[in-house]
């Protein structure tokens, strides 16, 4: 009975968090955003067991709201789209700082999987940690990147010429490195680690992956496409957990972003 109650509370907390990310990303649901913060405030008062993670989520959403508000000012007062996009990604550091602040507030160590990758560890199918088939992280990553090459290179060859790619090169490197590093530190680094310690690993994988996808709504991406990004987020998270390191996911994320810029999907 107690386990069922705990699971229900976790689902409620996760659902409220996901709703908060969605409402803030749309940017025109002030009442709903306030409702989310009110629910978290009430839960934080009434449920002592999960107070740390509730407060973490509360501060996380506050910082995400601040990020969304500041990025709007960028688009109003700046004209160079490449500079806007780079600064937009840097602004996401606000969220990382909020997670560091919460950890400091509760005197908990910030663990963001900043370890040397365990390339020999295995990803199992179909259940990640166990299943009928397995593959080493190193080989899994090579196959994943090869699939990205097969998908994106034809798009680049069709829609871009060498001159355009050359002009985008510096921006593509800067954007991909900043975006991949900051997003991975947020979603598969600090936040995934925090949720895993407080809740189950499966719960942490689902919530962080869905939130990662949904937050792309703020960039003007339709909800269906944004949620589909959650699949990528799930694979990033699996790689992080199985390699016990965030660096393979940053590398993979960087390459995908690079292809997206060159194919015209970003700016």
């Amino acid at each position: 009975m107690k386990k069922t109650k705990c699971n229900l509370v976790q689902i409620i907390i996760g659902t409220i968090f996901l709703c908060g990310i969605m409402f803030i990303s749309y940017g025109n649901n002030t009442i709903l955003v306030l409702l989310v913060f009110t629910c978290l405030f009430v839960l934080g008062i009434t449920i002592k067991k999960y107070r740390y993670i509730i407060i973490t989520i509360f501060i996380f959403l506050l910082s995400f709201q601040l990020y969304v508000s500041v990025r709007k000012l960028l688009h109003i007062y700046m004209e160079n789209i490449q500079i806007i996009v780079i600064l937009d990604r840097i602004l996401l550091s606000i969220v990382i700082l909020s997670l560091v602040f919460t950890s400091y507030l509760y005197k908990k160590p910030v663990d963001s999987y900043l370890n040397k990758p365990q390339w020999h560890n295995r990803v199992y199918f179909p259940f990640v940690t166990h299943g009928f088939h397995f593959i080493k992280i190193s080989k899994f990553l090579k196959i994943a990147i090869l699939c990205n090459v097969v998908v994106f290179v034809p798009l680049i060859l069709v829609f871009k010429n060498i001159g355009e790619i050359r002009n985008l090169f510096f921006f593509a490197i800067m954007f991909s490195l900043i975006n991949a590093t900051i997003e991975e530190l947020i979603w598969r680094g600090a936040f995934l680690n925090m949720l895993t310690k407080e809740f189950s690993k499966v719960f942490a994988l689902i919530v962080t992956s869905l939130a990662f996808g949904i937050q792309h709504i703020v960039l003007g991406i339709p909800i269906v496409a944004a949620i589909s990004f959650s699949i990528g987020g799930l694979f990033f998270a699996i790689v992080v957990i199985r390699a016990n390191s965030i660096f393979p996911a940053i590398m993979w994320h960087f390459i995908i972003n690079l292809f997206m810029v060159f194919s015209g999907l970003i700016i």
Side-chain angles (χ1 to χ4, degrees), residues 138-155:
S138 55
K139 189 173 181 181
F140 174 82
L141 204 60
K142 290 175 184 175
I143 294 172
I145 291 172
L146 179 61
C147 290
N148 294 143
V149 171
V150 170
V151 170
F152 281 107
V153 168
L155 290 176

Side-chain angles (χ1 to χ4, degrees), residues 52 98-110 194:
Y52 164 64
S98 77
L99 293 171
V100 172
F101 171 75
T102 309
S103 296
Y104 175 79
L105 193 66
Y106 276 85
K107 295 180 173 58
K108 290 180 179 286
V110 180
M194 286 179 180

Side-chain angles (χ1 to χ4, degrees), residues 208-220:
T208 55
S209 299
L210 283 174
F212 167 73
I214 292 171
Q215 58 101 23
H216 285 85
I217 293 172
V218 77
L219 304 178

Side-chain angles (χ1 to χ4, degrees), residues 46-241:
T46 57
I47 306 176
K48 185 177 180 180
K49 180 179 179 180
Y50 297 122
R51 187 166 295 166
Y52 164 64
I53 201 65
I54 292 171
I55 291 175
T56 297
I57 289 173
F58 189 96
I59 295 176
F60 184 109
L61 291 177
L62 275 179
S63 65
F64 188 64
Q65 176 66 73
L66 177 60
Y67 154 74
V68 171
S69 299
V70 176
R71 78 177 296 275
K72 285 181 181 178
L73 296 177
L74 280 181
H75 287 267
I76 292 173
Y77 294 107
M78 296 191 70
E79 295 181 359
N80 188 309
I81 186 61
Q82 291 189 2
I83 293 177
I84 289 173
V85 171
I86 293 293
L87 290 178
D88 183 311
R89 298 295 84 191
I90 292 174
L91 277 173
L92 272 175
S93 299
I94 294 171
V95 179
I96 296 176
L97 292 175
S98 77
L99 293 171
V100 172
F101 171 75
T102 309
S103 296
Y104 175 79
L105 193 66
Y106 276 85
K107 295 180 173 58
K108 290 180 179 286
V110 180
D111 188 353
S112 298
Y113 289 104
L114 299 175
N115 310 309
K116 182 180 178 181
Q118 302 297 313
W119 294 109
H120 62 278
N121 284 353
R122 300 166 174 176
V123 174
Y124 289 82
F125 298 95
F127 304 116
V128 183
T129 57
H130 60 284
F132 304 106
H133 182 69
F134 66 82
I135 185 172
K136 288 184 178 180
I137 285 290
S138 55
K139 189 173 181 181
F140 174 82
L141 204 60
K142 290 175 184 175
I143 294 172
I145 291 172
L146 179 61
C147 290
N148 294 143
V149 171
V150 170
V151 170
F152 281 107
V153 168
L155 290 176
I156 295 171
L157 294 176
V158 170
F159 295 108
K160 297 289 180 182
N161 57 50
I162 298 299
E164 288 177 306
I165 293 174
R166 190 183 299 115
N167 293 334
L168 282 171
F169 187 78
F170 179 72
F171 166 76
I173 295 294
M174 287 289 293
F175 167 81
S176 301
L177 182 60
I178 293 169
N179 185 63
T181 301
I182 293 179
E183 284 197 339
E184 290 307 315
L185 283 173
I186 293 172
W187 298 109
R188 263 71 64 177
F191 199 52
L192 176 66
N193 191 275
M194 286 179 180
L195 287 183
T196 301
K197 288 179 178 177
E198 298 296 319
F199 301 145
S200 70
K201 189 173 291 185
V202 172
F203 178 89
L205 280 169
I206 293 172
V207 170
T208 55
S209 299
L210 283 174
F212 167 73
I214 292 171
Q215 58 101 23
H216 285 85
I217 293 172
V218 77
L219 304 178
I221 295 173
I223 180 65
V224 175
I227 292 177
S228 71
F229 283 11
S230 299
I231 299 173
L234 180 63
F235 279 105
F236 289 147
I238 288 170
V239 167
V240 168
I241 289 175

